[in-house]
Amino acid sequence: MSVTAAQGFTAAGIAAGLKENGNPDLALVVNNGPRLAAAGVFTSNRVKAAPVVWSEQVLKGGTVSAVVLNSGGANACTGPLGFQDTHATAEKAAEALGHNAGEVAVASTGLIGLRLPMDKLLPGIDRAAAELTEHGGEKAAIAIKTTDSVHKTAVVTREGWTVGGMAKGAGMLAPGLATMLVVLTTDADVPAAGLDAALRAATRTTFDRVDSDGCMSTNDTVLLLASGASGVVPDTAAFAEAVRTVCDDLARQLIGDAEGASKDIRIEVVGAASEDDAVEVGRSIARNNLLKCAIHGEDPNWGRVLSAIGTTSAVFEPDQLNVAINDIWVCKNGSVGEDRELVDMRYREVRITADLAAGTESAVIWANDLTADYVHENSAYSS
């Protein structure tokens, strides 16, 4: 049930008419308390959509009673009128729910540069409010899809409390934070500061390690809401791990649904002098289009991995680099290793290990291959 798996939450997802194809496009998630604590992380893109600017302000108070999410339009690069539209969205939700507009977060996804049809969105909020139910999580997850082929949900239950979540994302997946729209909920009794610490720690090693195409969205939003409805105050470490587990599950679903992808690529950088070095190298490998094309063609072209490593500022010696593809060490000490013909690349997941031989730190980045379907989908996106 995703965002309604935890006690104290209701949700709805409807077709408000924002999408020309008539598919669901408006979701509402409501925290019924007793606690209304919240935390959020947002894109670091300097071009921020109106709902991001609004929700960043809302989250400063650490209280969120409801979230309105729409697909079918990003409301990004729409000027002051676009921000007014976001404000009107929060006001309408507050009116329909009897809440304070300053505690209503807003998230949007879709095409940049077009204003939302408010004559459809605002009445849709009334309809969504009327359809709120504790079983509405799945409908909400469906309503936030754009080019997603499937809706994405995850749930973890511990002793007496739960963390659930939904995510939207299939393109423009690059660390920002956060790479897409995500709403996480919990019935654990955790204050805003505790939510913020757990969320930032989780996103740093999950959503921030997903890199599909190197393109950072203007709308990235990840929210974590706590209702406290279970009455359980969890152990801090246990709660942080549960949040990380849900985020990791959703992040893997995002990369698995990346536009046009036929391969999921797990890039593990080991032997790094620092975690930052490991992440930088992993991102460089993930963003190498020549390598991504080779992976699509099931070609274990390890030279392209070394080439990507060489563009970074990480500490390493070229003649000490080692690379394995699906556990076959095709490159040893910067030169030819085991026979590349031993690499079996028939399956969906491809594992690349890059050993920098410079320390003890490591990091994992998830990416995907580059296909003709990706080019087709993104060349025709606005039509």
Side-chain angles (χ1 to χ4, degrees):
M1 294 186 292
S2 72
V3 291
T4 51
Q7 300 176 65
F9 292 92
T10 52
I14 68 162
L18 309 182
K19 293 178 179 175
E20 292 184 0
N21 60 15
N23 287 339
D25 50 26
L26 182 64
L28 184 59
V29 179
V30 177
N31 185 351
N32 298 298
R35 185 183 282 279
L36 302 175
V41 290
F42 302 89
T43 182
S44 62
N45 196 320
R46 293 171 60 194
V47 179
K48 299 180 188 294
V52 169
V53 176
W54 169 269
S55 295
E56 284 180 325
Q57 295 175 1
V58 169
L59 265 295
K60 289 179 180 179
T63 300
V64 170
S65 62
V67 185
V68 182
L69 307 98
N70 74 271
S71 53
N75 194 11
C77 306
T78 49
L81 293 178
F83 187 80
Q84 289 179 25
D85 290 342
T86 294
H87 190 175
T89 298
E91 291 279 4
K92 184 63 176 179
E95 175 190 327
L97 300 169
H99 292 187
N100 179 347
E103 297 177 352
V104 176
V106 180
S108 301
T109 180
L111 193 63
I112 293 172
L114 294 176
R115 288 185 63 193
L116 295 171
M118 300 302 289
D119 59 327
K120 297 178 180 177
L121 191 153
L122 297 181
I125 292 174
D126 282 326
R127 288 175 46 213
E131 295 187 20
L132 286 167
T133 169
E134 61 184 12
H135 303 294
E138 185 172 17
K139 287 186 176 180
I142 292 170
I144 61 175
K145 291 167 54 182
T146 52
T147 58
D148 306 62
S149 65
V150 295
H151 60 286
K152 304 166 181 71
T153 65
V155 175
V156 167
T157 298
R158 296 295 185 249
E159 295 184 6
W161 52 276
T162 294
V163 178
M166 66 179 185
K168 171 270 162 193
M172 292 190 81
L173 297 180
L177 215 53
T179 66
M180 68 281 118
L181 302 188
V182 176
V183 178
L184 307 169
T185 58
T186 183
D187 50 20
D189 190 3
V190 182
L195 298 178
D196 186 74
L199 183 62
R200 291 184 185 279
T203 53
R204 188 182 72 83
T205 59
T206 57
F207 297 129
D208 197 29
R209 304 284 172 88
V210 170
D211 205 320
S212 172
D213 52 17
C215 297
M216 185 192 301
S217 171
T218 55
N219 291 59
D220 302 337
T221 300
V222 177
L223 302 175
L224 173 58
L225 316 181
S227 70
S230 71
V232 178
V233 178
D235 173 77
T236 299
F239 180 71
E241 178 57 22
V243 173
R244 192 207 64 79
T245 298
V246 172
C247 290
D248 187 57
D249 189 335
L250 292 172
R252 287 292 310 278
Q253 292 183 55
L254 291 170
I255 205 68
D257 192 34
E259 293 168 345
S262 66
K263 303 285 188 183
D264 302 336
I265 310 172
R266 183 184 188 272
I267 302 163
E268 183 174 16
V269 180
V270 300
S274 68
E275 184 181 19
D276 286 345
D277 275 7
V279 172
E280 181 186 0
V281 169
R283 294 207 204 292
S284 181
I285 296 170
R287 295 179 178 183
N288 187 297
N289 284 340
L290 286 177
L291 175 64
K292 288 157 72 75
C293 290
I295 298 300
H296 176 59
E298 300 183 353
D299 174 11
N301 194 328
W302 56 267
R304 293 177 180 177
V305 178
L306 259 63
S307 177
I309 296 172
T311 66
T312 71
S313 60
V315 175
F316 67 86
E317 293 298 330
D319 61 358
Q320 295 179 13
L321 295 173
N322 305 294
V323 174
I325 300 178
N326 286 351
D327 303 321
I328 304 298
W329 290 93
V330 287
C331 170
K332 292 183 178 180
N333 297 319
S335 186
V336 179
E338 296 180 70
D339 187 352
R340 51 177 279 156
E341 297 300 322
L342 297 174
V343 181
D344 186 352
M345 300 180 67
R346 293 173 294 170
Y347 302 104
R348 174 86 187 197
E349 183 175 311
V350 175
R351 300 179 307 281
I352 296 175
T353 306
D355 179 9
L356 304 186
T360 60
E361 298 299 313
S362 63
V364 174
I365 303 290
W366 281 91
N368 54 270
D369 58 341
L370 182 60
T371 71
D373 286 342
Y374 175 86
V375 176
H376 174 73
E377 186 158 340
N378 285 282
S379 65
Y381 180 68
S382 64
S383 57

